[in-house]
Amino acid sequence: MNAKMLHRIALALIPVGLLTGVSLAFSAMNKPVMVASTPPAEESVVTAPTLLPPAAPTEEKAKPPLAEPTPESDVIAQTDEQQPTVIEEIAEEPLPELVIDKTALHQAMADLDRAMEQAKLAVTALDGDVQARYVQETINVLGGYADPAFRTTAAASPEMYKGVRPLLIEARVVREAAEVQWIAAVQQQLEARAKRLAEIAQAGGAINIPVPPASIDLSATVGPAGVLGTRGVRPEEQALEIVSRTIRQSTDALRTIPQAGATINAEIDGTSRASDQATSVMEHVVRQLETARKIIQIAIDR
């Protein structure tokens, strides 16, 4: 088939195609068309914003609190809990009380008052015999029944004439014994405290001592003669020294008093005149006994 023939066939088919397309178009126009109905669009109305109440907070699950920074003290406490340390309180104990029996001192004070009265009577006496009796009674009360210078003109007993000097010696011995016991008690308390501290330190514990222990120098309580007690002369010893001196002086004064009938006047009236020298000595004895009384009072008050 040649090209001209093909060209003619194509030209013949063009009107046929056009007719077919037009007929299809008309048939489509005659059929009903289904169109989806769309509701008319509503007019948009612009309104002012409405304030609504705040919404109630919705419950949230409880969250764990944030961990706060741990102070150093808590860290130290936690460390201590991990490594427990025993902290023990050791309170300061008061020292034992020095207790002294002062019965001998009180009796010595009473007898000293008796001796002072006799010495004062010896000062004011005008008759030698009377003066001699008062001086001798002063010696008897001060020295006691066992004293070599003891002389009595009336019934006497050891209970009545214990003597100021023996009573002061007894009071000194009692004080020394009490001081020895006191020093031993203090030493025992200090040793017990030191032992307790050593035990705590050995166990590795901490010790809390609010008040430092009082330091006591026990060597300062040793007397000059090596006897445990108060250093120096005790008040009983001071009073004893004065009383011993007054006994010697009174004995010397007694020798200066003339005996009855020793002078011409005494032969006439049968009396003797009091000794001025004895009077002067006994005045000095009274003053010394007053001093001894003050010292004994100090010993009683201690």
Side-chain angles (χ1 to χ4, degrees):
M1 191 178 288
N2 55 14
K4 289 182 178 181
M5 182 63 68
L6 292 175
H7 184 66
R8 290 178 180 177
I9 293 171
L11 292 176
L13 291 175
I14 289 173
V16 175
L18 290 175
L19 291 175
T20 304
V22 173
S23 64
L24 289 174
F26 279 106
S27 62
M29 292 177 62
N30 294 327
K31 292 181 180 180
V33 179
M34 300 297 293
V35 179
S37 62
T38 302
E42 298 181 357
E43 296 181 359
S44 61
V45 180
V46 179
T47 58
T50 304
L51 297 178
L52 299 177
T58 58
E59 294 183 359
E60 297 181 1
K61 294 183 179 180
K63 297 181 180 179
L66 297 178
E68 298 181 355
T70 304
E72 296 181 359
S73 59
D74 294 344
V75 175
I76 297 175
Q78 294 175 2
T79 306
D80 293 341
E81 290 178 358
Q82 297 174 359
Q83 299 177 356
T85 303
V86 178
I87 300 178
E88 185 163 344
E89 294 280 347
I90 298 182
E92 183 67 15
E93 298 180 1
L95 293 177
E97 184 179 357
L98 177 61
V99 181
I100 301 175
D101 185 4
K102 300 176 181 179
T103 304
L105 283 174
H106 287 288
Q107 187 166 358
M109 178 71 81
D111 288 352
L112 183 64
D113 291 338
R114 286 174 53 199
M116 289 177 60
E117 291 297 328
Q118 297 299 315
K120 292 176 181 178
L121 292 174
V123 172
T124 59
L126 301 177
D127 183 80
D129 293 341
V130 175
Q131 186 181 41
R133 287 198 303 270
Y134 289 144
V135 173
Q136 184 62 55
E137 187 67 11
T138 303
I139 296 172
N140 292 344
V141 177
L142 292 176
Y145 192 86
D147 193 272
F150 181 85
R151 300 290 185 275
T152 182
T153 57
S157 65
E159 293 298 326
M160 184 177 180
Y161 292 96
K162 288 188 174 181
V164 177
R165 183 162 62 181
L167 289 171
L168 290 176
I169 294 175
E170 179 183 351
R172 184 195 64 187
V173 173
V174 170
R175 183 178 292 275
E176 289 177 353
E179 289 173 347
V180 170
Q181 295 178 358
W182 177 80
I183 292 174
V186 172
Q187 186 69 35
Q188 184 178 3
Q189 177 177 325
L190 294 178
E191 290 177 356
R193 181 185 181 86
K195 181 179 179 181
R196 182 58 181 161
L197 294 177
E199 291 176 353
I200 297 176
Q202 186 176 4
I207 306 173
N208 186 8
I209 305 177
V211 181
S215 59
I216 301 175
D217 185 9
L218 296 180
S219 63
T221 61
V222 180
V227 180
L228 290 176
T230 307
R231 178 180 288 277
V233 181
R234 296 174 178 82
E236 294 87 351
E237 295 173 333
Q238 296 177 5
L240 178 62
E241 182 180 353
I242 295 175
V243 169
S244 299
R245 184 167 59 247
T246 57
I247 292 175
R248 293 193 301 267
Q249 293 172 352
S250 299
T251 303
D252 294 338
L254 186 60
R255 297 191 182 100
T256 64
I257 301 174
Q259 301 298 321
T263 62
I264 298 176
N265 293 333
E267 293 177 356
I268 296 174
D269 54 16
T271 60
S272 62
R273 184 174 178 273
S275 171
D276 293 338
Q277 184 178 356
T279 300
S280 177
V281 172
M282 295 309 293
E283 287 178 350
H284 184 59
V285 167
V286 171
R287 290 193 295 269
Q288 292 184 85
L289 292 179
E290 290 176 349
T291 303
R293 190 181 191 283
K294 294 178 182 178
I295 296 175
I296 293 175
Q297 186 62 51
I298 292 174
I300 292 175
D301 294 339
R302 278 192 176 184

